[in-house]
Amino acid sequence: MSSGAISGESRQKALIIGGGVAGSVSAMALQRAGMDSVVYEAYARGAEGAGAFLTFASNGMDALRAIDAHHLVLAEGFPTPHMAFQSGTGKHLGEVPNGGTLPDGTVSQTLKRADLYRALRDEAVRRGVRVEYGKRLLNAETTPDGGVAARFEDGTEAEGDLLIGADGIQSRTRRIIDPAAPGARYVPVLNISGYARGVRVQAEPGTFRMVFGKRAFFGYAVHPSGEVWWFANPPRAVEPDKAELAATTTGQWRELLTDLFANDATPAAEIIRSTPGRIVGWATYDLPSVPNWHKGPMIIIGDAAHATAPSSGQGATMAIEDAIELARCLRDLTDTQQAFVAYERLRRERVERIVAHGARTSNSKAAGPIARVLRDLMLPMFLKRAAGNGDKALARMHDYHIVWDEKVA
Ligand SMILES: Cc1cc2nc3c(=O)[nH]c(=O)nc-3n(C[C@H](O)[C@H](O)[C@H](O)COP(=O)(O)OP(=O)(O)OC[C@H]3O[C@@H](n4cnc5c(N)ncnc54)[C@H](O)[C@@H]3O)c2cc1C
């Protein structure tokens, strides 16, 4: 199928593994770059569930503009450009921008993860991308002509010129590329979120209120409908097993959380009590550094290659930047290997810096009693600096801009 070189004669075909954020955006970006692709998603259609919400930073909005897809996030999300921090005692610690502001005034948005997945996937399909469901990748190998053959759990196979592993933090593609590749690293906080109704809280529209509580971290924002969208990060030093999390009932989560926040001067306990429906908890993981991102005609992007703890607010946006930068590289460089090398040069330093930032932020949420006192003393100074645009790390995170029309050298 392929000699590994992108010729002008026939369109290259990519097998994209995973129909999450990176997979759908990859398919749309490759289409713009003049390549065909098929997305193979392990789960049945609509299996995303209600689940968690995420903050979609302005750099992700900017990246989606390169493929005219930013309107999808604006349609699903609500603007959350500010964060205000307080301690469990009710002391105001400071305020910082939640992401940057694009030249046209676009700011970070908050939306349900399932809505983001659905919107991106539906748009890819609307643009003519084929998505196949129930296709869990088992194995892949290079074919004699330099292309790639993939084998799925249902016994079917597919062939293409290259394979893009966008199969998330537990990526099978990562292990196919390098059987010794690292696995996800446990970050010592849990993630629990929900949507409260009928509770009145003091929060300005567009502001996430973040509380470094005495025993756990809590964040909330008011949706335009009046719902209060919240998340909690109880510290948990030892990784819980999946069965334990799955067996924890909504009542048990509610009891644990209301107890953790009972002595904080915040509305956390009341918000949790006012949350109807199911409450679900996740363990938190990241993936700091994967030595080999590509091998032959296969490459990993998004969480499969570098996952950040949710506290950086950058996981989805990095996956999107990856997908678009990879498409640019494949468009402009005549050889797939050269394209992969150029892609890694563009991406590795940035994403690893953001993963490290996410780990630091998560660890500060799991601070012990002494570290907590120090943190609450130091934080106002850090927040003041960040608010004054003096935080270069944050600025670098949000100011990333992809010039789609610029040729990759
Ligand atoms: C609780 C929580 C909160 C978060 N909050 C934020 C936030 O505020 N801001 C933010 O930017 N990010 C946040 N994230 C991170 C963000 O969701 C991820 O970084 C992003 O979804 C990564 O996209 P991806 O496409 O690389 O992987 P995923 O979205 O995980 O998609 C991978 C896809 O591959 C499929 N798949 C897996 N294995 C296979 C296989 N073998 N064969 C075929 N398909 C397969 C999966 O079913 C899935 O559809 C959060 C994550 C969590 C868990």
Side-chain angles (χ1 to χ4, degrees):
M1 183 144 223
S2 167
S3 63
I6 297 174
S7 77
E9 294 143 28
S10 67
R11 282 164 75 94
Q12 289 250 314
K13 178 184 165 191
L15 311 180
I16 298 175
I17 308 302
V21 176
S24 299
V25 174
S26 236
M28 291 189 271
L30 288 177
Q31 189 182 54
R32 292 245 153 150
M35 290 175 65
D36 294 326
S37 66
V38 178
V39 176
Y40 298 94
E41 166 56 43
Y43 287 101
R45 192 181 159 76
E48 299 93 349
F53 58 86
L54 54 75
T55 297
F56 195 88
S58 54
N59 51 301
M61 302 292 299
D62 189 61
L64 279 182
R65 279 222 167 107
I67 57 163
D68 290 325
H70 57 291
H71 62 278
L72 302 170
V73 175
L74 288 174
E76 298 290 344
F78 66 102
T80 42
H82 309 293
M83 287 191 284
F85 289 85
Q86 67 172 90
S87 71
T89 60
K91 183 183 162 201
H92 179 71
L93 299 172
E95 289 180 26
V96 286
N98 183 21
T101 302
L102 301 183
D104 70 352
T106 302
V107 294
S108 301
Q109 305 286 310
T110 295
L111 72 168
K112 292 184 181 170
R113 280 178 87 208
D115 289 341
L116 176 65
Y117 280 43
R118 180 188 37 74
L120 292 173
R121 212 183 281 171
D122 286 355
E123 180 66 7
V125 170
R126 197 188 65 77
R127 294 182 187 191
V129 172
R130 199 167 100 219
V131 181
E132 295 200 12
Y133 296 93
K135 296 283 176 189
R136 180 173 293 278
L137 179 77
L138 275 189
N139 221 334
E141 54 194 21
T142 307
T143 54
D145 64 356
V148 61
R151 194 156 47 79
F152 300 98
E153 204 174 59
D154 65 358
T156 57
E157 294 186 357
E159 279 198 33
D161 298 293
L162 63 142
L163 182 147
I164 299 174
D167 46 354
I169 191 165
Q170 305 295 348
S171 170
R172 173 73 193 124
T173 315
R174 186 168 72 235
R175 286 280 151 78
I176 295 170
I177 288 175
D178 177 6
R185 175 178 73 172
Y186 177 63
V187 177
V189 287
L190 300 182
N191 249 289
I192 302 146
S193 62
Y195 308 93
R197 296 206 191 120
V199 57
R200 292 181 71 83
V201 293
Q202 256 198 328
E204 310 69 38
T207 296
F208 251 101
R209 294 211 149 253
M210 305 293 206
V211 185
F212 282 102
K214 295 187 186 101
R215 295 169 64 200
F217 188 87
F218 190 76
Y220 63 99
V222 181
H223 185 269
S225 68
E227 263 185 357
V228 179
W229 290 24
W230 61 268
F231 69 92
N233 296 135
R236 174 73 73 92
V238 179
E239 179 181 358
D241 68 34
K242 276 202 184 105
E244 180 200 332
L245 292 175
T248 306
T249 63
T250 294
Q252 287 167 328
W253 284 124
R254 198 175 280 132
E255 199 179 317
L256 169 90
L257 294 175
T258 46
D259 176 56
L260 279 176
F261 297 117
N263 295 321
D264 284 346
T266 74
E270 195 194 343
I271 291 172
I272 291 156
R273 273 193 295 269
S274 309
T275 301
R278 207 160 152 239
I279 297 178
V280 184
W282 298 267
T284 309
Y285 297 93
D286 71 2
L287 184 64
S289 186
V290 174
N292 299 309
W293 281 4
H294 55 91
K295 185 177 157 201
M298 297 180 240
I299 188 162
I300 43 174
I301 64 170
D303 273 13
H306 51 75
T308 168
S311 50
S312 75
Q314 285 285 329
T317 51
M318 281 197 296
I320 286 169
E321 289 176 1
D322 281 2
I324 293 169
E325 289 289 37
L326 178 60
R328 263 181 79 221
C329 293
L330 287 164
R331 177 195 65 190
D332 294 345
L333 295 162
T334 50
D335 179 81
T336 306
Q337 288 311 305
Q338 280 178 7
F340 287 175
V341 169
Y343 165 78
E344 186 166 350
R345 198 176 57 231
L346 283 173
R347 298 299 296 158
R348 189 177 275 279
E349 195 197 336
R350 169 171 173 77
V351 299
E352 289 187 354
R353 210 182 310 114
I354 291 174
V355 175
H357 168 83
R360 273 195 308 276
T361 314
S362 287
N363 284 324
S364 76
K365 292 176 175 176
I370 297 173
R372 208 163 52 221
V373 171
L374 281 174
R375 178 198 65 204
D376 291 355
L377 278 173
M378 304 294 284
L379 207 58
M381 194 178 75
F382 287 128
L383 294 174
K384 206 168 172 185
R385 204 183 58 180
N389 250 346
D391 191 321
K392 289 202 182 84
L394 280 183
R396 264 203 309 263
M397 201 189 282
H398 299 130
D399 289 350
Y400 192 80
H401 176 60
I402 300 172
V403 187
W404 176 256
D405 292 331
E406 196 173 280
K407 201 168 178 329
V408 178

